[in-house]
Amino acid sequence: MSKSSPFGGTAPHQQSNWDWRAAGNFIGGGSGSGLLVFGFAACLGGGLSAGLVALAGGALIGLGLGCVWLEIGKPWRAVNVFFHPQTSWMTREGIVALALYTVGGGAALLNSPGLLGVMALIACGFVYCQGRILLAARGIPAWREKRVLPLILATAATEGSGLALALTAPTGMAAPGMAQAFLVVLAIRYLVWRSYLARLAAGKAPMGAVAAARRLSPPLGLAGHLLPALLVLSGLSWAAALAGMLAAASGWGLKYVLVTRMALTQGFALPVTPSRGRGTTGPGVRPGWGEAS
Amino acid sequence: MTRYVMVADLRRCVGCQTCTAACKETNATPPGVQWRRVLDVEAGEYPDVRRIFIPTGCQHCDEPPCLEVCPSTATAKRADGIVTINYDLCIGCAYCAIACPYEARFKVDKAEYAYGATPMDNERARRDAEKIGVATKCTFCVERIDAGIKAGKVPGIDPEATPACVNSCISGALRFGDIETPNHPVAKLVAENKWFRMHEDQGTGPGFYYLWDNGQ
């Protein structure tokens, strides 16, 4: 029981098992996967080479996986991660990563747009696994909320399109429709974020998690959505590149906060308080949760 | 079919933490790790204020979220309902700790001692390298139960086959046993009292029954 935790350790508190390294996995995985998808589109438009996109996307995903490797307690047993595909989304993420690098190796070596397309498809599966990893974490209310999955998918798409824009816009090699696609995924991410936040505020998460999300919301809305949209609409190539980077960086910030600030535990609750001695039973207690819950 | 459960009578628990101390002594858990702990809750508003003590720990769920997410199959559930961890398989990803709604799992990355860097004699004697960097939790003293059963003892009746926390409880608040055996004390307690299980809405089917009033 933590002395610093109010209510005798019963109230929700920020989990400490996963830190920036876990956030790094979601950051690298989302951005890398998104870049593979939108980089593939740019490749078809002639803006980027298939090999370069495969290398960049694979490197980002690899960096994320490397972060996780640094976090696990027994890194030399990492191969055991593949033992439970029946139910564990972490195992499935690992298996999908294997497939991704197998195909990606071919895409990079052969500079093959076809193989890059397959890699991008697998990357969609990879980021889906990451969303399901969060969803299966039943001890963390802000993660088990169903809309975390579309949020993870939407931010991966936004980060990826942002990075693709940042890579292609300065050289004038952006594929046709890339800026428009960027604006669309940016708008989707904003709407999904607002929807997710509304669900949390409606009693799906402890007050501390909601407060952390609300603190993030204004800078995320302004620097992560409004400003990038305005920059792209300006039509300037350097502004489009900056917009892409801002959209990607704001997604990284979102995931960092999701893991290190909003990941409050469930806490403990009593539906009723017991009768003790000659006393009677009383109403329940649920420290750290709002009235709405 | 055997299903071992813990019963905690919230009307009886006085928050003495003897169960916590007995667990630490039995399992030699490091500082900050309490497989069995007792939460101290103040509820209500003046002048109607109550203080409740809630023994908690691994709930040995019917549908353990920790088992579902474990990527290495280190976490397993026995036929008698006891959830176990194979320390040789665990990779220490702590996903199980995140998935557990009961904050019952712990992971320590380096040996820690009660008084700084130098272990006391008992800590030196009982330190267990296999528990560093992996997930750990309450096992319902599974080795004790198995050894007791082998010796012809009955879990929850004979101390030799009963978890240390239950044996140590000064007020009889903590009880343990097979809920599927009709005449077992835990089956009677659950049948004859009002009870709840923590966070039942999460669909975990916890094996920890909290008694809160007489009658059904």
Side-chain angles (χ1 to χ4, degrees), chain A residues 13 77 84 88 133 138 280, chain B residues 50 69-70 90 95 103 202:
Chain A
H13 59 91
R77 291 182 195 165
H84 202 198
S88 175
I133 284 173
R138 269 190 269 176
T280 57
Chain B
R50 296 152 191 269
V69 303
C70 176
C90 180
Y95 192 12
E103 300 178 39
Q202 291 306 307

Side-chain angles (χ1 to χ4, degrees), chain B residues 128-146:
Chain B
D128 188 351
E130 80 170 352
K131 289 182 187 161
I132 301 295
V134 297
T136 70
K137 70 169 189 71
C138 158
T139 64
F140 272 173
C141 290
V142 66
E143 294 91 353
R144 188 182 182 90
I145 292 169
D146 288 347

Side-chain angles (χ1 to χ4, degrees), chain A residues 71-266:
Chain A
E71 185 159 52
I72 63 176
K74 298 286 185 187
W76 304 116
R77 291 182 195 165
V79 71
N80 294 6
V81 81
F82 296 110
F83 288 0
H84 202 198
Q86 295 91 336
T87 61
S88 175
W89 283 99
M90 192 176 274
T91 296
R92 293 168 186 171
E93 179 199 31
I95 291 170
V96 172
L98 273 185
L100 185 134
Y101 282 111
T102 305
V103 175
L109 285 172
L110 304 173
N111 197 26
S112 160
L115 285 177
L116 179 63
V118 178
M119 190 186 185
L121 203 61
I122 297 170
C124 293
F126 183 82
V127 79
Y128 178 78
C129 287
Q130 290 203 326
R132 293 300 298 261
I133 284 173
L134 290 178
L135 207 54
R138 269 190 269 176
I140 310 296
W143 294 358
R144 69 174 186 237
E145 158 52 36
K146 287 187 176 65
R147 289 180 198 178
V148 84
L149 179 59
L151 180 65
I152 288 294
L153 295 173
T155 193
T158 308
E159 291 160 35
S161 68
L163 289 176
L165 198 62
L167 284 172
T168 54
T171 56
M173 300 290 279
M178 181 156 284
Q180 290 84 343
F182 172 74
L183 286 172
V184 168
V185 290
L186 197 66
I188 290 172
R189 182 177 73 173
Y190 183 72
L191 291 174
V192 173
W193 165 254
R194 296 301 306 181
S195 164
Y196 171 70
L197 184 57
R199 291 286 292 172
L200 297 190
K204 294 289 183 184
M207 289 187 292
V210 177
R214 283 187 170 142
R215 279 194 297 275
L216 172 68
S217 205
L220 182 68
L222 290 174
H225 294 91
L226 182 61
L227 187 55
L230 292 175
L231 285 168
V232 164
L233 290 172
S234 74
L236 300 168
S237 59
W238 66 265
L242 181 60
M245 284 310 300
L246 271 175
S250 59
W252 303 338
L254 162 62
K255 282 184 268 196
Y256 181 78
V257 170
L258 192 64
V259 173
T260 65
R261 300 285 185 275
M262 291 170 59
L264 271 71
T265 59
Q266 169 78 33

